[in-house]
Every structure is written in C-alpha cells, then in structure tokens.
Amino acid sequence: MTKKEDVLIPKLGVVTDIRRDTPDVKTFRVNAPEGGKVFEHMPGQCAMLSIPGVGEAMFSITSSPTNKEFMEFSIKKCGCVTEWLHQMEVGQEILIRGPLGKCFPVETELKGKNLLFVAGGIGIAPLRSVINYVIDNRENYGTVDVVYGARSAEDLVDLKEMQESWSNIDGIDVHLTIDREQEGWDGNVAFVPNYVKDLGFTTDKTVLVCGPPIMIKFTVAGLQEIGFQTNQIYTTMELKMKCGVGKCGRCNIGDKYVCKDGPVFRYDELGELPAEY
Amino acid sequence: MYKLSIDNLNELFALIGQDSKVYAPIERAGQVEFFLWSVEEKVRLDALNTVKSAKGFFFPQTEVLYKTKLEGKKIEIEAAEDAEEPTVYFGVRACDVKSFDVLDKVFLSEPVDSYYAAKRKHGTIVSMACSKPADTCFCGLFGIDATSPAGDVVTWIVGDTLYWDSKTEKGEALTVKVKELLVDADDVEVKKQQTEVKEMIAKAPLHDLSLEGFGGDALDELFNSPKWEALSSACLGCGTCTFVCPTCQCYDIRDYDSGHGVQKFRCWDSCMYSDFTMMAHGNNRTTQLQRFRQRFMHKLVYFPANNDGDFSCVGCGRCLQKCPQSLNIVKVIKALGGKKND
Ligand SMILES: Cc1cc2nc3c(=O)[nH]c(=O)nc-3n(C[C@H](O)[C@H](O)[C@H](O)COP(=O)(O)OP(=O)(O)OC[C@H]3O[C@@H](n4cnc5c(N)ncnc54)[C@H](O)[C@@H]3O)c2cc1C
Ligand code: SF4
Ligand code: SF4
Ligand code: FES
C-alpha cells in the first residue's frame, strides 16, 4: 500500500521563537524541523495550524515571503487551539498545512500603485506580510501609508517594527491611533474609520483593509464618502473553516468558498455576494 | 447484452467476491442499506431507495485521515493508507449513480481529495434500472433516465431474469470475470419494460416540476425571497435531510483521542446545524431560516453557478420521505420556481 499525500495531511513545524506583542497576542516563528521554511507562500495566504487532540485553526502567515528563513504567525488567544498555542515554549513541534487561499494581487493589480493599508487589532497580521513584501520590493510600488489602530496602546501588535523600521523608510508613513485616551500616549485617539476619514487621503491610492467586520464596514463607507471606489479596495474575510480547500462547505457564501476563492477579496466582488457574512 | 436467472444471484456475488468486496442493498432489522455482501445476508434488489444514499461508498460517514501523537514537544504523524481494494457496488439506482457525478465535481476538482479518488478508482458500479418508481421520485427533472442508468454495468430485472449490459472498461472487465454465469440475450424484454416504466414516470405525481427560475443568475432574487420564512419555520435543524441526501457533502474534521494517540478523522456534517458556522468572533448564520436557505440555495443556485448549470440534487426523494416535518426540496422548488410549477 502507498503512503498518502493530501492537502488535508499536515507537515511538521517547530516553534523557534515566541514574542509577546500584547496581553492577548503572541507572534510565533515557525521553521521546518530540518531548518528553513516548511513551505513558500504569497502575502495574504494562510495556513492551518494544529495540535494533536486539541484541534486545527486557520491563521494568516504574517511574515513576508521575502523572508527566506522562517514563517511567522501573530495569534490572538480566544479559544481552545489559540490558548494551547499561547502556552507553548520554544522547541515545540506543531502541525502545519498550506499555503491556503488566494494572496493579495501584489504582482498584478497592486504593482505600481500608491498603497494605503488600514488595520485594526489582529487585522494587521495579513497586512504585515504585504507591507514587508512591498518594502523589500520598494521599486515596484508607489507611496505607502499605514493606518493602524487598537483598543489601547498595549494592544498594538508589531508596534516596535512599525516605529523603528517602517517609519524610517522614505515614502512610508505610519499613522497610529487608539480607541480611548490613556496616560503616556501622545499619539492620535480615534476609532480607525474616523481617523482614516480625518487623514483625508487622496483617491489615487489602492486600499487594503483588515480588521473586525464592523471596522471594515465603516472604513469602507468613510472611504467612499471621500471619493474612493469599491474596486480600489481589498479586504480579507474571516469565516469558520475546516478543510481550507473549498470542499467541506463551511465557508460557503453564495457561489464563493472564502477559503479557496478568498480570503482576499476586492470589495466590489463582495458586493455581489448574499449579505451573509 | 447478457442475462442470468435471479436464482443465481448468490453465485454471481460469490464469483465477484473472490477478489473484490461486494456491496449490495441488504435488509437488516427491517431497513435496507448498502452492506458488505455475504451468503447469509438478505439481498433486496426490489427495494427502491436505501435509507442512506450510496455516497458513503466513496465519502464514508467517518474516515481517518491520519494518526498523530503528541509527546512533550515532539509530534509523530502517520498518514492513513489509500484504499486499494477492488470493490463492486451492486444495485445502485439511477439517481444515486448520478450523485457520483455531483460528488466528483467537488472531490475530484483541484486539489483532488485523494481519499475519495482512491475509493472511486477501485470501485466498479453495477447500476440497476427502476421498474417501480415511487411517488416521491423526480429524477427526470435532472435529466436522469431511471430506465437506463449510468454505471460501469447496467442491469434490469424483468420477472425472474437479470439483464446485464457493460458500458465501460471497468464494466467489461467485470463481465469477463463472471462470463461463466451469463448467457447471451437480446434486449426485447428490457425495451418493453423501459417503455412501460417511462409511461409510469410520465404520470407520477412529481413528473411536471420545473426548474425554471433556478440556477446561478437568480441568486439575489431567490436569496431575498420572503417565502423562506414560511418554508423554513417548521425546520427542527435535525440534519436528517443532509445525512440521507446523496449529494450533500459538507464535512467536519475532528480529533479522536484513543489514549494511545490521536486519530484525525472527517465525518459528515450538516449546514442545518446551529454550530456549523460558529467561529471565534460570532456566527454568520444565527437563524434556522438562514441555514435552511443555505441548503437549498446551494443545491439550486450556488452549485449550478460553479458547475456549468448542473444542480446538486438528483431527485431521489429521500428528503421527502425522511424529514420529520415534511419539508423538502420539492416544496422549495414549487414555492420559488417559475410559473410552470403553479
Ligand atoms: C482566513 C483566516 C485567517 C485568520 N488569521 C488569523 C490570524 O492571523 N491570527 C489570529 O489570531 N486569528 C486568525 N484567524 C482566526 C482564528 O482562526 C480563530 O481565532 C481560531 O479559529 C480560534 O480557534 P480556537 O480553537 O482557539 O477557538 P475556539 O475554541 O474555536 O473558540 C471559538 C469561540 O468559542 C469560544 N469558546 C472556546 N472554548 C469555549 C468553551 N469551552 N465554552 C464556551 N465557549 C468557548 C471562544 O471564546 C471563542 O469565542 C483567522 C481566521 C481565518 C478564517
Ligand atoms: S428540513 Fe426536515 S430533515 Fe432537514 S433539518 Fe429541517 S426538519 Fe430536519
Ligand atoms: S435534496 Fe432531497 S431529493 Fe434531492 S438528492 Fe438530496 S435527498 Fe434526494
Ligand atoms: S473551509 Fe472547507 S470549504 Fe472552505
């Protein structure tokens, strides 16, 4: 009998570094047991991580494919799998399968464009992959603006990288905001959608927006008010997923399977789907 | 075309069974299901629909995907083995044979599901034409001819005689294997039966349904129809309809901890269940109306949109027979379909 290979069968990965970003978000570095990456991906694609006996869940690969050494996942603690992942120590083996889903069109529609990234909370995870990809292929893209917000200053993921690395690159502007005033914070205070509107961006930009559904909705509405078209806006969708390859039926909305046809969608494509997400 | 006396069926099954597994409609505890054949079993080729459909041949109700073990920081993983045992499925009706086309579109499209593909590859389908369609049958709506099913071998029972006609390479190979039991036959009796049965089908209660108004183009209008409220209000969310349905293929993937390791298995799931789409930040289908609508919109609108207009229903009538609340796809087609259904 032949031993099987199948997209449902994961490979082994090893956690080689763990960083605490916020009270409930940690970023995990994952390598293949023999070193290097478990597989290649493009920005916006995801992977299923699992632990025997605990379960399997979908996560954005937050590192850029231009990182040739390892993959990273920023994970928010909110249930069985994520709690288990949060108590891991370096050296832990995990199961990983992917890459799953479609990427942001970094090599096609986004090429040569001025880019505006808008993220809320853990929504930075998929965008961080794109931003670092754009930085590493700087000549292929125009200006970059990053608007990032969270509940409080402590909840901003990857803050150090934004302040120390991204902010110092020519043509990249980082705009941070938090929901409520707090001691020691001299930056902006506003909900992300309002901040985006206040910043009054020119409509020559292509927008990539990720975060809680309600944030995405209001951000897009605000952008439309200042003249953006829905076909200039990309986002990602989050639905319950099991197979990740368009077969188990779980993430089906209209004639789309979010795992396979997404999770990245152009906003005008979403408008054609039944309002069920 | 060949024939054999139905008194020789056990010999036929025994001969096939020498180097294959044989599944046939078998009665146990008053219910007819496809079970592994042995001489002691009560084969019921006269029974029309098995309770559960034939989808489990290739997409079993539960199946282990791989075994894995967590010990401290180490993980072991061992993939399941491919099914490579030749298997003959005997007595599959036209609707269930057609359901394999629907399942193929899901499981054999890229990325191919190798678990399904292996079982499909090693399976030979011996179909059986219907001679007494039920009042709940409406396979004709989907272009299925119950008197001339697809399959590797097609059979008809007329009186005490089983007629046998092979249609594919696999069917040819099976025919060669059982040749000693078959004698040459003409198709006069078969043709006669086909004509009679077609007349019965033309008068059956559901013969004049129409799919006018369904398919991918009608998405918004059908999704937003106010009729879903009345159609779904009695639904219990029990999932019976999805489990007996030959074309429902939603599944779950879960862990079973045996104490000596974990089996990662998949099992049938149902879009009718309240936790089907439950996720960390909420649930996008919180009402039974939404879930009920999803099942039928998928079969009649979303699936055709992705599959050249083919529907994900084969008119087997199982949901008409089994729903405890008498809800079913026919009521949906009648309520939402074109004028022809009035
Ligand atoms: C395409 C995609 C990309 C994603 N990318 C990321 C990412 O980059 N980072 C990230 O952090 N997440 C990401 N997610 C979300 C992630 O998949 C979910 O957070 C994850 O599935 C949660 O899994 P879990 O097993 O920890 O939670 P579950 O155990 O499934 O918990 C889900 C919910 O149930 C509740 N719950 C859990 N246990 C119990 C209990 N015993 N009793 C009652 N209620 C309970 C929890 O509070 C939670 O609300 C992504 C999802 C998708 C679809
Ligand atoms: S339609 Fe009928 S069989 Fe299906 S879930 Fe509802 S009550 Fe159960
Ligand atoms: S929806 Fe009903 S009639 Fe159609 S294939 Fe499924 S069980 Fe049979
Ligand atoms: S997660 Fe299975 S179909 Fe999308």
Side-chain angles (χ1 to χ4, degrees), chain A residues 2-4 6 8-10 52-54 90 92-93 239-240 242-243 247-248 250 252 254-255 257 274 276, chain B residues 73 75 80 82 84 106 109 111 114-115 249-253 255 269 276 278 284-285 294 298 302 306:
Chain A
T2 45
K3 275 280 183 304
K4 292 180 63 66
D6 193 280
L8 298 179
I9 302 174
V54 182
V90 167
Q92 178 68 51
E93 288 185 338
L239 287 178
K240 184 76 186 173
K242 283 283 178 174
C243 70
K247 299 188 197 285
C248 77
R250 204 160 298 259
N252 175 229
D255 58 6
Y257 290 88
E276 221 181 7
Chain B
K73 288 187 174 177
I75 292 180
D82 267 334
E84 286 183 348
V106 177
S109 63
S114 63
Y115 301 87
Q249 52 37 243
C250 287
Y251 65 79
D252 196 1
I253 299 177
D255 291 28
D269 203 345
F276 186 67
M278 180 71 168
N284 57 313
R285 289 192 196 100
Q294 168 65 14
H298 180 258
Y302 309 154
N306 282 322

Side-chain angles (χ1 to χ4, degrees), chain A residues 101-114:
Chain A
K102 290 226 161 71
C103 62
F104 285 97
V106 284
E107 286 303 317
T108 52
E109 290 156 54
L110 299 187
K111 229 170 173 174
K113 300 280 166 44
N114 295 329

Side-chain angles (χ1 to χ4, degrees), chain B residues 149-202:
Chain B
D152 296 306
V153 172
V154 184
T155 66
W156 294 260
I157 291 180
V158 185
D160 291 337
T161 305
L162 180 129
Y163 290 86
W164 173 289
D165 196 11
S166 73
K167 298 283 184 188
T168 66
E169 244 172 66
K170 275 185 189 172
E172 216 37 66
L174 185 64
T175 305
V176 169
K177 214 163 78 182
V178 299
K179 204 66 172 269
E180 61 192 76
L181 293 173
L182 302 173
V183 290
D184 283 328
D186 60 41
D187 62 0
V188 176
E189 290 299 316
V190 167
K191 283 251 156 70
K192 199 169 134 223
Q193 186 195 57
Q194 285 179 317
T195 311
E196 286 165 15
V197 174
K198 278 183 184 154
E199 275 166 23
M200 288 159 70
I201 291 174

